[in-house]
Amino acid sequence: MKLNIAQNEQKISQLVADEIENLIKRKPDAVLGLATGSTPIPVYQELIRRHQAGRIDFSQVRTFNLDEYYGLDRSHDQSYYQFMQTHLFSHINIQEDNIHIPSGQPADVEAYCREYEAEMERAGGVDLQLLGIGHNGHIGFNEPAKELHPGTHLVRLKPTTIEANARFFTSIEQVPTQAITMGMQNILKAKRILLLATGRDKAEIIHKLIHTGITTDIPASFLKLHDNVGIFVDEEAGSLVASCATS
Ligand code: PGA
């Protein structure tokens, strides 16, 4: 893992958008793995700016999102489908058929999860995966647990995750308690992975991630098994990390 400490989230969004722009120039039908949450929003804003400036053409780009709340219809204003429409897709020239976000209401969860993975395989796999990180070290909705799942699966959310996400709902009771998420192997198969963290409240988990070994208590620590991971943090999220480079 290569740790990059940038001055602020604007700097991070430029660095990450540079990678995405270069990838799409090199491979116009690149497969992007996308994330929701507050952290990637400035990256999406930067991608929109570059698209509007004529620098990035998304017409052939394919995307696969990490996760979706289980039980929410995609028209629900807090579904990740709506999140992606609002923050990225409705502002760029991506084709609807090229967008993949797990359904929150599959008829047969197991069959649906296998099909989502098969679709990723048919697309040739993810070229570049964007990740945020939960305060508890989750990536996607792979929560700390005794065992982690390799494949796409239905997961029960941790109370801390439900609390963290309650800010988007009218009350904590409204927050779904389960989600469909890509599993650890799905994420680790991406050719390049960029994990982003911003703000002082992510400093502890970034410190733990950098200084602890591989443990299911911190699902993000499995990224240490991948040889092409960039971690981008701002000065606040990086404030507890002693050195600027790690392996
Ligand atoms: P956040 O969420 O970007 O809203 O902090 C990150 C995550 O839970 O993966």
Side-chain angles (χ1 to χ4, degrees):
M1 295 193 301
K2 165 104 169 55
L3 177 67
N4 305 278
I5 302 182
Q7 208 179 354
N8 52 40
E9 64 181 18
Q10 273 68 39
K11 268 267 150 13
I12 294 176
S13 54
Q14 282 162 11
L15 292 169
V16 171
D18 284 348
E19 282 213 26
I20 295 174
E21 180 176 348
N22 290 337
L23 170 65
I24 296 173
K25 290 230 158 86
R26 208 168 61 241
K27 183 178 177 189
D29 64 345
V31 179
L32 303 179
L34 298 180
T36 51
S38 329
T39 313
I41 290 176
V43 173
Y44 296 150
Q45 288 169 342
E46 182 62 21
L47 292 177
I48 292 166
R49 260 195 297 278
R50 293 184 189 201
H51 167 68
Q52 288 169 347
R55 285 171 60 179
I56 310 184
D57 173 13
F58 288 91
S59 62
Q60 296 179 60
V61 169
R62 290 146 317 149
T63 64
F64 286 85
N65 264 73
L66 284 166
D67 45 21
E68 178 59 281
Y69 286 121
Y70 182 64
L72 290 196
D73 184 80
R74 72 185 211 173
S75 63
H76 190 286
D77 63 355
Q78 290 307 326
S79 73
Y80 287 164
Y81 180 88
Q82 290 301 327
F83 177 100
M84 292 307 301
Q85 291 297 329
T86 304
H87 293 289
L88 183 62
F89 295 148
S90 66
H91 307 281
I92 60 175
N93 66 332
I94 192 162
Q95 293 182 47
E96 178 69 26
D97 285 352
N98 288 342
I99 295 171
H100 305 86
I101 302 178
S103 165
Q105 298 185 308
D108 177 339
V109 171
E110 184 57 28
Y112 181 79
C113 290
R114 299 293 72 77
E115 178 51 28
Y116 195 69
E117 292 172 338
E119 190 82 32
M120 269 193 280
E121 291 297 316
R122 284 194 292 272
V126 171
D127 292 303
L128 186 149
Q129 176 69 56
L130 277 189
L131 295 175
I133 182 169
H135 298 105
N136 63 3
H138 74 204
I139 48 176
F141 273 132
N142 293 277
E143 298 280 38
K146 203 158 144 253
E147 292 181 0
L148 302 177
H149 290 257
T152 302
H153 63 285
L154 180 65
V155 62
R156 187 161 292 284
L157 303 181
K158 293 277 181 199
T160 50
T161 299
I162 293 172
E163 278 160 33
N165 292 359
R167 65 191 198 276
F168 301 113
F169 292 81
T170 42
S171 74
I172 195 160
E173 290 74 33
Q174 309 283 314
V175 186
T177 55
Q178 290 175 281
I180 306 263
T181 184
M182 279 191 206
M184 298 301 295
Q185 189 190 29
N186 302 143
I187 293 172
L188 288 167
K189 269 190 177 174
K191 295 168 189 92
R192 168 93 171 130
I193 300 176
L194 304 181
L195 181 140
L196 324 181
T198 50
R200 179 62 186 79
D201 61 316
K202 293 288 170 69
E204 275 81 15
I205 190 61
I206 290 299
H207 180 264
K208 273 196 210 162
L209 171 64
I210 299 300
H211 292 288
T212 328
I214 297 166
T215 166
T216 62
D217 290 337
I218 305 173
S221 66
F222 279 74
L223 298 175
K224 295 181 183 200
L225 295 171
H226 194 288
D227 62 7
N228 196 6
V229 177
I231 301 194
F232 289 83
V233 300
D234 65 359
E235 284 176 353
E236 291 189 347
S239 57
L240 299 178
V241 179
S243 70
C244 285
T246 185
S247 56

mmCIF file of all heavy atoms in Angstrom, residues 67-76 79-81 101-113 116 153-154 176 178-181:
data_model
loop_
_atom_site.group_PDB
_atom_site.id
_atom_site.type_symbol
_atom_site.label_atom_id
_atom_site.label_comp_id
_atom_site.label_asym_id
_atom_site.label_seq_id
_atom_site.Cartn_x
_atom_site.Cartn_y
_atom_site.Cartn_z
ATOM 1 N N ASP A 67 -22.047 -1.484 -3.350
ATOM 2 C CA ASP A 67 -23.082 -1.969 -2.438
ATOM 3 C C ASP A 67 -24.398 -1.202 -2.585
ATOM 4 O O ASP A 67 -24.466 -0.181 -3.280
ATOM 5 C CB ASP A 67 -22.584 -1.893 -0.986
ATOM 6 C CG ASP A 67 -21.892 -0.573 -0.661
ATOM 7 O OD1 ASP A 67 -22.128 0.417 -1.388
ATOM 8 O OD2 ASP A 67 -21.122 -0.530 0.301
ATOM 9 N N GLU A 68 -25.405 -1.738 -1.948
ATOM 10 C CA GLU A 68 -26.726 -1.090 -1.901
ATOM 11 C C GLU A 68 -27.437 -1.550 -0.627
ATOM 12 O O GLU A 68 -27.246 -2.690 -0.172
ATOM 13 C CB GLU A 68 -27.554 -1.472 -3.137
ATOM 14 C CG GLU A 68 -28.965 -0.904 -3.205
ATOM 15 C CD GLU A 68 -29.043 0.628 -3.192
ATOM 16 O OE1 GLU A 68 -28.913 1.190 -2.075
ATOM 17 O OE2 GLU A 68 -29.254 1.227 -4.265
ATOM 18 N N TYR A 69 -28.214 -0.660 -0.054
ATOM 19 C CA TYR A 69 -29.027 -1.050 1.099
ATOM 20 C C TYR A 69 -30.037 -2.104 0.697
ATOM 21 O O TYR A 69 -30.705 -1.979 -0.340
ATOM 22 C CB TYR A 69 -29.809 0.156 1.619
ATOM 23 C CG TYR A 69 -28.988 1.163 2.371
ATOM 24 C CD1 TYR A 69 -28.915 2.482 1.938
ATOM 25 C CD2 TYR A 69 -28.303 0.821 3.534
ATOM 26 C CE1 TYR A 69 -28.183 3.429 2.634
ATOM 27 C CE2 TYR A 69 -27.576 1.763 4.232
ATOM 28 C CZ TYR A 69 -27.519 3.065 3.782
ATOM 29 O OH TYR A 69 -26.800 3.991 4.476
ATOM 30 N N TYR A 70 -30.163 -3.126 1.520
ATOM 31 C CA TYR A 70 -31.138 -4.183 1.255
ATOM 32 C C TYR A 70 -32.517 -3.708 1.720
ATOM 33 O O TYR A 70 -32.664 -3.209 2.837
ATOM 34 C CB TYR A 70 -30.741 -5.453 2.012
ATOM 35 C CG TYR A 70 -31.652 -6.625 1.769
ATOM 36 C CD1 TYR A 70 -31.752 -7.192 0.501
ATOM 37 C CD2 TYR A 70 -32.405 -7.176 2.795
ATOM 38 C CE1 TYR A 70 -32.577 -8.277 0.258
ATOM 39 C CE2 TYR A 70 -33.235 -8.265 2.561
ATOM 40 C CZ TYR A 70 -33.311 -8.804 1.290
ATOM 41 O OH TYR A 70 -34.129 -9.880 1.057
ATOM 42 N N GLY A 71 -33.484 -3.857 0.842
ATOM 43 C CA GLY A 71 -34.856 -3.482 1.190
ATOM 44 C C GLY A 71 -35.281 -2.156 0.589
ATOM 45 O O GLY A 71 -36.471 -1.861 0.523
ATOM 46 N N LEU A 72 -34.323 -1.356 0.164
ATOM 47 C CA LEU A 72 -34.702 -0.067 -0.436
ATOM 48 C C LEU A 72 -34.904 -0.227 -1.943
ATOM 49 O O LEU A 72 -34.062 -0.796 -2.630
ATOM 50 C CB LEU A 72 -33.620 0.998 -0.222
ATOM 51 C CG LEU A 72 -33.377 1.544 1.178
ATOM 52 C CD1 LEU A 72 -32.565 2.834 1.091
ATOM 53 C CD2 LEU A 72 -34.671 1.782 1.940
ATOM 54 N N ASP A 73 -36.005 0.317 -2.409
ATOM 55 C CA ASP A 73 -36.228 0.392 -3.850
ATOM 56 C C ASP A 73 -35.253 1.426 -4.412
ATOM 57 O O ASP A 73 -34.868 2.365 -3.711
ATOM 58 C CB ASP A 73 -37.674 0.839 -4.089
ATOM 59 C CG ASP A 73 -38.009 0.837 -5.559
ATOM 60 O OD1 ASP A 73 -38.291 -0.251 -6.074
ATOM 61 O OD2 ASP A 73 -37.950 1.922 -6.188
ATOM 62 N N ARG A 74 -34.853 1.252 -5.679
ATOM 63 C CA ARG A 74 -33.848 2.191 -6.198
ATOM 64 C C ARG A 74 -34.387 3.624 -6.318
ATOM 65 O O ARG A 74 -33.606 4.567 -6.427
ATOM 66 C CB ARG A 74 -33.255 1.693 -7.507
ATOM 67 C CG ARG A 74 -34.146 1.762 -8.703
ATOM 68 C CD ARG A 74 -33.432 1.119 -9.860
ATOM 69 N NE ARG A 74 -33.813 1.737 -11.119
ATOM 70 C CZ ARG A 74 -33.249 1.479 -12.287
ATOM 71 N NH1 ARG A 74 -32.261 0.619 -12.359
ATOM 72 N NH2 ARG A 74 -33.639 2.071 -13.373
ATOM 73 N N SER A 75 -35.720 3.776 -6.249
ATOM 74 C CA SER A 75 -36.272 5.135 -6.298
ATOM 75 C C SER A 75 -36.240 5.822 -4.924
ATOM 76 O O SER A 75 -36.499 7.024 -4.820
ATOM 77 C CB SER A 75 -37.720 5.084 -6.803
ATOM 78 O OG SER A 75 -38.501 4.344 -5.894
ATOM 79 N N HIS A 76 -35.910 5.092 -3.864
ATOM 80 C CA HIS A 76 -35.833 5.685 -2.524
ATOM 81 C C HIS A 76 -34.743 6.757 -2.510
ATOM 82 O O HIS A 76 -33.657 6.536 -3.047
ATOM 83 C CB HIS A 76 -35.517 4.590 -1.502
ATOM 84 C CG HIS A 76 -35.651 5.057 -0.073
ATOM 85 N ND1 HIS A 76 -34.738 5.880 0.532
ATOM 86 C CD2 HIS A 76 -36.599 4.804 0.864
ATOM 87 C CE1 HIS A 76 -35.109 6.120 1.782
ATOM 88 N NE2 HIS A 76 -36.243 5.484 2.007
ATOM 89 N N SER A 79 -31.369 5.548 -1.478
ATOM 90 C CA SER A 79 -30.737 4.382 -2.108
ATOM 91 C C SER A 79 -29.424 4.827 -2.735
ATOM 92 O O SER A 79 -29.246 6.007 -3.096
ATOM 93 C CB SER A 79 -31.646 3.789 -3.187
ATOM 94 O OG SER A 79 -31.664 4.636 -4.316
ATOM 95 N N TYR A 80 -28.494 3.903 -2.850
ATOM 96 C CA TYR A 80 -27.222 4.257 -3.473
ATOM 97 C C TYR A 80 -27.389 4.474 -4.969
ATOM 98 O O TYR A 80 -26.582 5.165 -5.594
ATOM 99 C CB TYR A 80 -26.167 3.198 -3.140
ATOM 100 C CG TYR A 80 -25.710 3.285 -1.693
ATOM 101 C CD1 TYR A 80 -25.029 2.239 -1.083
ATOM 102 C CD2 TYR A 80 -25.941 4.434 -0.935
ATOM 103 C CE1 TYR A 80 -24.597 2.339 0.236
ATOM 104 C CE2 TYR A 80 -25.522 4.543 0.376
ATOM 105 C CZ TYR A 80 -24.847 3.486 0.957
ATOM 106 O OH TYR A 80 -24.421 3.594 2.247
ATOM 107 N N TYR A 81 -28.430 3.907 -5.541
ATOM 108 C CA TYR A 81 -28.744 4.201 -6.945
ATOM 109 C C TYR A 81 -28.991 5.708 -7.097
ATOM 110 O O TYR A 81 -28.429 6.369 -7.972
ATOM 111 C CB TYR A 81 -29.972 3.393 -7.391
ATOM 112 C CG TYR A 81 -30.353 3.660 -8.825
ATOM 113 C CD1 TYR A 81 -29.787 2.915 -9.853
ATOM 114 C CD2 TYR A 81 -31.254 4.668 -9.160
ATOM 115 C CE1 TYR A 81 -30.107 3.175 -11.185
ATOM 116 C CE2 TYR A 81 -31.578 4.937 -10.476
ATOM 117 C CZ TYR A 81 -31.011 4.191 -11.479
ATOM 118 O OH TYR A 81 -31.321 4.454 -12.791
ATOM 119 N N ILE A 101 -25.375 -1.294 -10.302
ATOM 120 C CA ILE A 101 -25.459 -1.056 -8.863
ATOM 121 C C ILE A 101 -26.270 -2.219 -8.312
ATOM 122 O O ILE A 101 -27.323 -2.548 -8.880
ATOM 123 C CB ILE A 101 -26.166 0.278 -8.549
ATOM 124 C CG1 ILE A 101 -25.410 1.432 -9.216
ATOM 125 C CG2 ILE A 101 -26.288 0.508 -7.045
ATOM 126 C CD1 ILE A 101 -26.039 2.791 -9.018
ATOM 127 N N PRO A 102 -25.803 -2.877 -7.244
ATOM 128 C CA PRO A 102 -26.593 -4.003 -6.757
ATOM 129 C C PRO A 102 -28.047 -3.579 -6.492
ATOM 130 O O PRO A 102 -28.298 -2.453 -6.053
ATOM 131 C CB PRO A 102 -25.898 -4.392 -5.447
ATOM 132 C CG PRO A 102 -24.505 -3.875 -5.581
ATOM 133 C CD PRO A 102 -24.605 -2.631 -6.435
ATOM 134 N N SER A 103 -28.952 -4.483 -6.772
ATOM 135 C CA SER A 103 -30.361 -4.217 -6.454
ATOM 136 C C SER A 103 -30.552 -4.373 -4.957
ATOM 137 O O SER A 103 -29.975 -5.272 -4.344
ATOM 138 C CB SER A 103 -31.242 -5.231 -7.191
ATOM 139 O OG SER A 103 -32.543 -5.204 -6.638
ATOM 140 N N GLY A 104 -31.359 -3.506 -4.377
ATOM 141 C CA GLY A 104 -31.678 -3.630 -2.949
ATOM 142 C C GLY A 104 -32.837 -4.573 -2.709
ATOM 143 O O GLY A 104 -33.186 -4.882 -1.570
ATOM 144 N N GLN A 105 -33.464 -5.034 -3.801
ATOM 145 C CA GLN A 105 -34.646 -5.890 -3.642
ATOM 146 C C GLN A 105 -34.610 -7.082 -4.593
ATOM 147 O O GLN A 105 -35.567 -7.303 -5.343
ATOM 148 C CB GLN A 105 -35.905 -5.061 -3.895
ATOM 149 C CG GLN A 105 -36.063 -3.925 -2.908
ATOM 150 C CD GLN A 105 -37.380 -3.192 -3.092
ATOM 151 O OE1 GLN A 105 -37.720 -2.771 -4.197
ATOM 152 N NE2 GLN A 105 -38.121 -3.052 -2.014
ATOM 153 N N PRO A 106 -33.527 -7.857 -4.561
ATOM 154 C CA PRO A 106 -33.514 -9.003 -5.473
ATOM 155 C C PRO A 106 -34.485 -10.086 -5.007
ATOM 156 O O PRO A 106 -34.645 -10.282 -3.793
ATOM 157 C CB PRO A 106 -32.075 -9.507 -5.384
ATOM 158 C CG PRO A 106 -31.571 -9.048 -4.067
ATOM 159 C CD PRO A 106 -32.321 -7.804 -3.711
ATOM 160 N N ALA A 107 -35.115 -10.770 -5.966
ATOM 161 C CA ALA A 107 -36.079 -11.824 -5.611
ATOM 162 C C ALA A 107 -35.344 -12.983 -4.940
ATOM 163 O O ALA A 107 -35.789 -13.516 -3.932
ATOM 164 C CB ALA A 107 -36.803 -12.298 -6.875
ATOM 165 N N ASP A 108 -34.176 -13.344 -5.509
ATOM 166 C CA ASP A 108 -33.391 -14.451 -4.971
ATOM 167 C C ASP A 108 -31.982 -13.889 -4.717
ATOM 168 O O ASP A 108 -31.213 -13.686 -5.660
ATOM 169 C CB ASP A 108 -33.357 -15.580 -6.022
ATOM 170 C CG ASP A 108 -32.500 -16.762 -5.587
ATOM 171 O OD1 ASP A 108 -31.627 -16.597 -4.712
ATOM 172 O OD2 ASP A 108 -32.692 -17.856 -6.158
ATOM 173 N N VAL A 109 -31.680 -13.620 -3.457
ATOM 174 C CA VAL A 109 -30.439 -12.918 -3.111
ATOM 175 C C VAL A 109 -29.212 -13.673 -3.607
ATOM 176 O O VAL A 109 -28.321 -13.100 -4.238
ATOM 177 C CB VAL A 109 -30.338 -12.697 -1.576
ATOM 178 C CG1 VAL A 109 -28.966 -12.164 -1.189
ATOM 179 C CG2 VAL A 109 -31.420 -11.736 -1.117
ATOM 180 N N GLU A 110 -29.168 -14.971 -3.333
ATOM 181 C CA GLU A 110 -27.994 -15.763 -3.687
ATOM 182 C C GLU A 110 -27.756 -15.748 -5.210
ATOM 183 O O GLU A 110 -26.645 -15.467 -5.674
ATOM 184 C CB GLU A 110 -28.193 -17.202 -3.168
ATOM 185 C CG GLU A 110 -27.031 -18.141 -3.375
ATOM 186 C CD GLU A 110 -25.715 -17.647 -2.762
ATOM 187 O OE1 GLU A 110 -25.750 -16.892 -1.763
ATOM 188 O OE2 GLU A 110 -24.658 -18.007 -3.312
ATOM 189 N N ALA A 111 -28.826 -16.030 -5.963
ATOM 190 C CA ALA A 111 -28.689 -16.048 -7.430
ATOM 191 C C ALA A 111 -28.299 -14.660 -7.933
ATOM 192 O O ALA A 111 -27.458 -14.518 -8.833
ATOM 193 C CB ALA A 111 -30.003 -16.486 -8.068
ATOM 194 N N TYR A 112 -28.872 -13.639 -7.328
ATOM 195 C CA TYR A 112 -28.578 -12.271 -7.758
ATOM 196 C C TYR A 112 -27.104 -11.932 -7.536
ATOM 197 O O TYR A 112 -26.431 -11.355 -8.404
ATOM 198 C CB TYR A 112 -29.470 -11.259 -7.021
ATOM 199 C CG TYR A 112 -29.185 -9.867 -7.485
ATOM 200 C CD1 TYR A 112 -29.709 -9.389 -8.676
ATOM 201 C CD2 TYR A 112 -28.297 -9.057 -6.771
ATOM 202 C CE1 TYR A 112 -29.381 -8.130 -9.142
ATOM 203 C CE2 TYR A 112 -27.957 -7.803 -7.231
ATOM 204 C CZ TYR A 112 -28.511 -7.344 -8.420
ATOM 205 O OH TYR A 112 -28.174 -6.101 -8.885
ATOM 206 N N CYS A 113 -26.590 -12.306 -6.364
ATOM 207 C CA CYS A 113 -25.185 -12.006 -6.037
ATOM 208 C C CYS A 113 -24.239 -12.699 -7.013
ATOM 209 O O CYS A 113 -23.250 -12.108 -7.468
ATOM 210 C CB CYS A 113 -24.867 -12.423 -4.606
ATOM 211 S SG CYS A 113 -25.671 -11.370 -3.387
ATOM 212 N N TYR A 116 -24.335 -10.821 -10.271
ATOM 213 C CA TYR A 116 -23.618 -9.525 -10.209
ATOM 214 C C TYR A 116 -22.115 -9.762 -10.438
ATOM 215 O O TYR A 116 -21.462 -9.035 -11.191
ATOM 216 C CB TYR A 116 -23.864 -8.853 -8.853
ATOM 217 C CG TYR A 116 -23.488 -7.386 -8.820
ATOM 218 C CD1 TYR A 116 -24.218 -6.445 -9.538
ATOM 219 C CD2 TYR A 116 -22.387 -6.936 -8.083
ATOM 220 C CE1 TYR A 116 -23.879 -5.094 -9.519
ATOM 221 C CE2 TYR A 116 -22.034 -5.590 -8.055
ATOM 222 C CZ TYR A 116 -22.788 -4.680 -8.767
ATOM 223 O OH TYR A 116 -22.443 -3.339 -8.753
ATOM 224 N N HIS A 153 -22.554 -10.552 -1.268
ATOM 225 C CA HIS A 153 -23.424 -11.206 -0.276
ATOM 226 C C HIS A 153 -24.309 -10.201 0.454
ATOM 227 O O HIS A 153 -24.075 -8.987 0.401
ATOM 228 C CB HIS A 153 -22.566 -11.974 0.732
ATOM 229 C CG HIS A 153 -21.646 -11.094 1.530
ATOM 230 N ND1 HIS A 153 -20.493 -10.539 1.000
ATOM 231 C CD2 HIS A 153 -21.711 -10.652 2.809
ATOM 232 C CE1 HIS A 153 -19.891 -9.803 1.913
ATOM 233 N NE2 HIS A 153 -20.604 -9.842 3.019
ATOM 234 N N LEU A 154 -25.266 -10.771 1.156
ATOM 235 C CA LEU A 154 -26.152 -9.967 2.018
ATOM 236 C C LEU A 154 -25.488 -9.887 3.384
ATOM 237 O O LEU A 154 -25.041 -10.909 3.924
ATOM 238 C CB LEU A 154 -27.505 -10.680 2.133
ATOM 239 C CG LEU A 154 -28.566 -9.999 2.992
ATOM 240 C CD1 LEU A 154 -29.005 -8.665 2.394
ATOM 241 C CD2 LEU A 154 -29.788 -10.923 3.145
ATOM 242 N N PRO A 176 -31.688 1.180 6.865
ATOM 243 C CA PRO A 176 -31.758 -0.273 6.652
ATOM 244 C C PRO A 176 -30.709 -0.997 7.508
ATOM 245 O O PRO A 176 -29.631 -0.452 7.774
ATOM 246 C CB PRO A 176 -31.449 -0.433 5.167
ATOM 247 C CG PRO A 176 -31.810 0.875 4.566
ATOM 248 C CD PRO A 176 -31.488 1.898 5.610
ATOM 249 N N GLN A 178 -29.566 -4.096 6.736
ATOM 250 C CA GLN A 178 -28.816 -5.036 5.903
ATOM 251 C C GLN A 178 -28.461 -4.383 4.566
ATOM 252 O O GLN A 178 -29.083 -3.386 4.171
ATOM 253 C CB GLN A 178 -29.656 -6.284 5.639
ATOM 254 C CG GLN A 178 -29.858 -7.162 6.867
ATOM 255 C CD GLN A 178 -30.805 -8.303 6.551
ATOM 256 O OE1 GLN A 178 -32.021 -8.118 6.529
ATOM 257 N NE2 GLN A 178 -30.251 -9.477 6.291
ATOM 258 N N ALA A 179 -27.493 -4.965 3.910
ATOM 259 C CA ALA A 179 -27.077 -4.443 2.604
ATOM 260 C C ALA A 179 -26.557 -5.590 1.759
ATOM 261 O O ALA A 179 -26.182 -6.639 2.269
ATOM 262 C CB ALA A 179 -25.979 -3.397 2.783
ATOM 263 N N ILE A 180 -26.545 -5.355 0.446
ATOM 264 C CA ILE A 180 -25.865 -6.269 -0.482
ATOM 265 C C ILE A 180 -24.529 -5.614 -0.793
ATOM 266 O O ILE A 180 -24.493 -4.432 -1.151
ATOM 267 C CB ILE A 180 -26.647 -6.408 -1.811
ATOM 268 C CG1 ILE A 180 -28.092 -6.817 -1.568
ATOM 269 C CG2 ILE A 180 -25.893 -7.313 -2.786
ATOM 270 C CD1 ILE A 180 -28.400 -8.260 -1.703
ATOM 271 N N THR A 181 -23.453 -6.343 -0.621
ATOM 272 C CA THR A 181 -22.131 -5.749 -0.879
ATOM 273 C C THR A 181 -21.228 -6.699 -1.649
ATOM 274 O O THR A 181 -21.331 -7.915 -1.511
ATOM 275 C CB THR A 181 -21.443 -5.374 0.458
ATOM 276 O OG1 THR A 181 -20.199 -4.725 0.173
ATOM 277 C CG2 THR A 181 -21.171 -6.568 1.362
#
